[in-house]
Amino acid sequence: MSLKTLFGRRSTDTDTAARTAPATAGRPADGEVLLETVGLTKAYAGADGELPVLSGIDLQVQAGEIVALLGKSGSGKSTLLRCLAGLLPPSSGTVSYRSAPLTGANPGTAMVFQTFALLPWLTVQQNVELGLEARGVSPQERAEAAVRAIDLIGLDGFESAYPKELSGGMRQRVGFARALVVEPDVLMMDEPFSALDVLTAENLRGELMELWDSGQFPTRAVVLVTHNIEEAVMMADRIVVLGSRPYGTIRETVEVALERPRDRDSAAFDELVDRVYRIMTGRPKETRLPGRSEAVRLDKRTVANTPLPTASVDGLSGLAEMIAHRGNRCDLADLADELGLDIDDMLPQVDALDLLGFAEISGDDLLLTDTGTAFAGADVQKSKTIFASAALEVPLVKLITNSLRGKPDATVRAGFFRDLLAHHYTSEQVERQLETATDWGRYAELFSYDSAPQEYRLDENADLPR
Ligand SMILES: Nc1ncnc2c1ncn2[C@@H]1O[C@H](COP(=O)(O)OP(=O)(O)O)[C@@H](O)[C@H]1O
Ligand SMILES: [Mg+2]
């Protein structure tokens, strides 16, 4: 694609001097704070009142930087992005653009969506112009700006095409052009590559980074939402890792000082991926302290602070067996690589093994505990027994089992657990956790679940002392 661009001058820019740095000067990294959140909290209305999704978020986005918001699914990345864009009001705390608290849509941002969000009845040119129409730009200027954006992003020749005639990659280019055409101070991207196939995503990522590095990008900062660690390390100057235990908070911020363009095969790149991975898989500090006795650690677990990861018994057993085959210990990044998986696709299984006491995270490695080794090597009956005693240490499984044991008819409606969990989690999180608990409880032969009356029933074997 031609990187020759007409974006050096801004026809609609009557703004500050800082915005009109010549294209040849590279990215203007004057450090001006463009976006800022202070004590941002966001809660959605749930079955049981307000459920916090984000809590205590203090974040700044400065001119000249690409900031990645990285986290597992459900950690509140999109919510944070929408708050920054002024599309969602905070529940408490403030969001400001150039020091002015937002009262509505952020005038300094434009958004690229995972699903492209194009209007099918409009051509590429018309879709791109759309962004400007809303801002009252004259038709003549609109057309010119759209052509510039279309050229910049490699869509020349597609101006009169309709979205349905385009490949996914080309459609997302339209998404980019539509956002860039307004020359926003901050370009917001919500998992912009995750609906594309691997090669297309890689190609588009590369082109965008080339534009950014060459200073031709008509925006001063970028906020990228992603669940892909490598993508974050590839693109960002700063990675903000969001954790969701139980509410979305900033777990840690990682500066990425790697030279651009970045070399995915370098040791430094690998090291950083491993480090970020460790942060994402990290337990809260207190449960990681060595020397702390197992009993105290387990005692502190509650349904509220120990959500069940979305990992089936099959999935976590599969991972345990793979680690066992590698000598009970392996580097997670390498394993993911071998399997052709995104490293974060394995996080729920890793969490599950850890939660069950089958594995521990040590540095970049995952190592099986003695129990985990026994579990991986056991025949079905034996593995069920091992699994059952481990699962009974998991608060939600224990809660369900003990509740059933306390009932004369040994049954409890799912709604009972749903209500209890609703105090701490969103309804989606509640459903996912109940599904996992059901899978684990069934395998362990602790309890069964009947979906018609939505009832849990104690397994006959579960009454035996364990
Ligand atoms: N409009 C909404 N109403 C209620 N809950 C929501 C809404 N949007 C998102 N959530 C919940 O908030 C949590 C965070 O969602 P989201 O910000 O989309 O996370 P991410 O982008 O990291 O996957 C999830 O548990 C999700 O179910
Ligand atoms: Mg999202």
Side-chain angles (χ1 to χ4, degrees), residues 42-46 51-54 69-82 88 190-191 225-227 242 248 425-429 432:
K42 180 68 193 174
Y44 291 110
L51 287 156
V53 169
L54 296 172
L69 305 178
L70 178 71
K72 300 180 205 178
S73 166
S75 58
K77 305 179 294 292
S78 295
T79 302
L80 179 52
L81 196 71
R82 293 169 67 82
L88 275 178
D190 195 348
E191 312 222 14
V225 159
T226 181
H227 67 274
L242 294 179
Y425 302 103
T426 65
S427 52
E428 196 185 310
Q429 290 168 335
R432 272 195 246 130

Side-chain angles (χ1 to χ4, degrees), residues 417-435:
F417 303 114
R418 214 170 261 139
D419 288 350
L420 285 179
L421 292 170
H423 291 284
H424 311 287
Y425 302 103
T426 65
S427 52
E428 196 185 310
Q429 290 168 335
V430 170
E431 290 317 311
R432 272 195 246 130
Q433 290 194 54
L434 284 178
E435 271 169 35

Side-chain angles (χ1 to χ4, degrees), residues 206-254:
E207 287 181 12
L208 287 172
M209 291 322 297
E210 222 177 295
L211 284 174
W212 177 259
D213 293 346
S214 69
Q216 297 177 80
F217 223 54
T219 127
R220 298 177 64 203
V222 175
V223 181
L224 166 75
V225 159
T226 181
H227 67 274
N228 183 320
I229 298 173
E230 290 207 0
E231 183 171 293
V233 174
M234 199 67 192
M235 298 180 70
D237 298 296
R238 214 146 53 83
I239 302 175
V240 175
V241 183
L242 294 179
S244 50
R245 280 169 195 274
Y247 311 133
T249 51
I250 294 179
R251 185 170 284 176
E252 202 168 321
T253 298
V254 180

Side-chain angles (χ1 to χ4, degrees), residues 352-407:
L353 290 182
D354 182 30
L355 189 58
L356 290 160
F358 290 170
E360 284 166 3
I361 294 156
S362 155
D364 303 329
D365 288 357
L366 190 62
L367 57 144
L368 289 185
T369 59
D370 291 346
T371 325
T373 308
F375 172 70
D379 61 31
V380 177
Q381 273 322 311
K382 183 72 187 142
S383 86
K384 275 175 181 281
T385 313
I386 297 172
F387 188 82
S389 25
L392 277 173
E393 301 292 346
V394 175
L396 182 55
V397 177
K398 187 171 172 177
L399 170 74
I400 296 175
T401 311
N402 286 344
S403 306
L404 293 169
R405 282 175 178 162
K407 288 285 297 277

